[in-house]
Amino acid sequence: MTLPATISVSFDFSQGATFGYPFTVGDAQYGVIGVNQFASSEVPDPVVDLSDITRSIKISRGRNIMRDTYETGNCTVRVIDQDGTFNPQNTSSIFYPLLTPLRKIRVAATTATTQKFLFSGYVDSYNYTYPTGEELGYVDIVCSDAFRLFQMANVATIIDSTAGQTTGTRITKILDQVSFPTNMRIIDTGSTTVQADPGTARTSLAAIKAAEFAEQGAFFIRTDGTAEFKDRADVCGSLAPAAIQFNESGGIPASDIKYAFDDKLIVNQASMTRIGGTAQVVTNAASSAKYFPHGTTITEMIPQTDAQVLDIAQIYCATRAETSIRIDAMTVDLLNTSVPTDTMIGLDYFDNVEITNIQPGGSTIVKTLQVQGLAWQITPNEMKCTVTTLEPIVEAFIVGSSTYGIIGQSIMGY
């Protein structure tokens, strides 16, 4: 069976976090201005195409619904090893002696009209399987995105992190400290100012997450490996574009739609405290009376003032005070000819989706949500994407929006 997109897997043996192949003058593949990267190496480590020996690909990226945070994206590429090529002690292997952890892998999908990366990350491990009686083996190349690099890199005092910096500037300083490539960042300015760095020992990821929460923004790794920080204005602005339709009557067909209607995401009481500040307590009385108290306590925050912390507590409760039926996930089969391949391979965080599902008896559930997770299952005969959807992580009044622009109902941001 032919897949609706050509799937390619590239294995980059070069050191460092940057993806790509050094610019090579006169080379049709690696000498494309605006595409290939410039580098000083005259004899670059190879980028190897593993597409022909790849047997399956599993990708999982997204926001943890309960922890309310983005987590490390993962990918497992299973390749067939017919001649010991992936044996790191095989001196005859074309990969010798380059086969080590933390090399780079990219998975891309290409159609006649577009090309999109589905994952870009770094090798955690090579897991070998040699079935009894088989003349060949399988190697599962297990990878993680750049979140793992940030989790491994400890920091103490962040250089040049003074009071009054915006959250975007603070995140930039942290990325500078761990030498994450400047050409692999998209960093918004940020609306919240932060205090001087506390100088405590923690992971660089924890330091970044502190700034992300102070902003009520979003920090994540894109499918091309770029680290992106969306500030609060950008996150709220993502609510405005028209939603992609998923339904059985003209929209994109989906299956295995997972519903939930519970109280596990409700927050109607919040106590938040910045470093050196006093606790800012917010209670939504109507939600507490309706659902009973659902509280959260957050300390060691880094906003510059107590007033900023109070704003965060207020918007946090306002966004989470109510609950309704959720659609946590749905699966889309790209082998279905009714599914637009370009739309699905281009789907990513903060895309708006409207999901319509007809229930037994003819009733209908309609939800407008945002994409906050993508899991791919790809084999020579299968190409499926499970989409995780969530309510907006922070809301604001959107003028003209039929969903987020209702006077007296929609949330006013700050």
Side-chain angles (χ1 to χ4, degrees), residues 49 176 332:
D49 186 357
D176 288 345
V332 178

Side-chain angles (χ1 to χ4, degrees), residues 8 28 41 100-101 108 154 181 191 201 228-229 239 298 329 360 375 385 396 403:
S8 59
S41 175
T100 65
N154 290 333
S191 304
E228 180 168 3
F229 172 61
L239 301 172
I298 300 171
C385 181
T403 304

Side-chain angles (χ1 to χ4, degrees), residues 40-93:
S40 59
S41 175
E42 296 181 357
V43 186
D45 291 322
V47 176
V48 178
D49 186 357
L50 301 182
S51 306
D52 289 343
I53 60 173
T54 297
R55 290 298 173 263
S56 69
I57 301 167
K58 293 181 180 179
I59 298 170
S60 178
R61 306 169 50 242
R63 189 174 184 88
N64 185 299
I65 189 172
M66 293 304 299
R67 294 184 59 199
D68 197 22
T69 187
Y70 294 97
E71 297 195 327
T72 305
N74 299 291
C75 175
T76 299
V77 176
R78 168 165 281 200
V79 297
I80 190 170
D81 188 13
Q82 301 183 72
D83 51 14
T85 298
F86 284 88
N87 176 0
Q89 295 182 322
N90 180 6
T91 57
S92 298
S93 170

Side-chain angles (χ1 to χ4, degrees), residues 213-387:
F213 191 82
E215 178 66 27
Q216 289 294 283
F219 181 81
F220 54 89
I221 305 300
R222 292 157 49 105
T223 56
D224 64 357
T226 301
E228 180 168 3
F229 172 61
K230 286 183 177 289
D231 62 19
R232 188 169 60 256
D234 198 353
V235 169
C236 293
S238 71
L239 301 172
I244 301 169
Q245 302 293 315
F246 286 82
N247 57 62
E248 298 294 336
S249 55
I252 301 174
S255 62
D256 195 22
I257 298 177
K258 300 186 185 302
Y259 295 95
F261 189 26
D262 52 46
D263 68 338
K264 67 184 180 182
L265 300 185
I266 293 175
V267 177
N268 50 37
Q269 296 182 354
S271 174
M272 299 189 179
T273 311
R274 69 186 180 98
I275 298 171
T278 58
Q280 304 298 304
V281 180
V282 172
T283 298
N284 187 306
S287 175
S288 296
K290 185 176 181 179
Y291 299 117
F292 298 98
H294 289 64
T296 186
T297 299
I298 300 171
T299 60
E300 302 297 306
M301 296 172 63
I302 63 169
Q304 194 172 16
T305 67
D306 283 343
Q308 292 171 322
V309 176
L310 180 60
D311 284 338
I312 295 169
Q314 289 173 332
I315 195 66
Y316 200 82
C317 278
T319 305
R320 296 161 175 80
E322 273 296 335
T323 188
S324 64
I325 191 168
R326 298 194 314 274
I327 298 176
D328 286 344
M330 60 182 175
T331 299
V332 178
D333 187 350
L334 276 74
L335 296 186
N336 185 334
T337 56
S338 298
V339 173
T341 304
D342 287 0
T343 300
M344 288 305 302
I345 65 175
L347 206 63
D348 210 344
Y349 302 156
F350 295 98
D351 285 338
N352 298 314
V353 294
E354 182 180 282
I355 306 169
T356 302
N357 188 250
I358 300 175
Q359 300 294 294
S363 65
T364 303
I365 292 176
V366 181
K367 291 290 294 184
T368 300
L369 303 162
Q370 288 195 316
V371 174
Q372 290 292 351
L374 295 155
W376 289 92
Q377 174 71 40
I378 303 171
T379 70
N381 299 309
E382 179 183 35
M383 188 174 181
K384 291 183 178 180
C385 181
T386 297
V387 182

Side-chain angles (χ1 to χ4, degrees), residues 381-401:
N381 299 309
E382 179 183 35
M383 188 174 181
K384 291 183 178 180
C385 181
T386 297
V387 182
T388 300
T389 57
L390 291 170
E391 300 284 352
I393 61 176
V394 66
E395 295 184 36
F397 192 89
I398 307 294
V399 176
S401 171

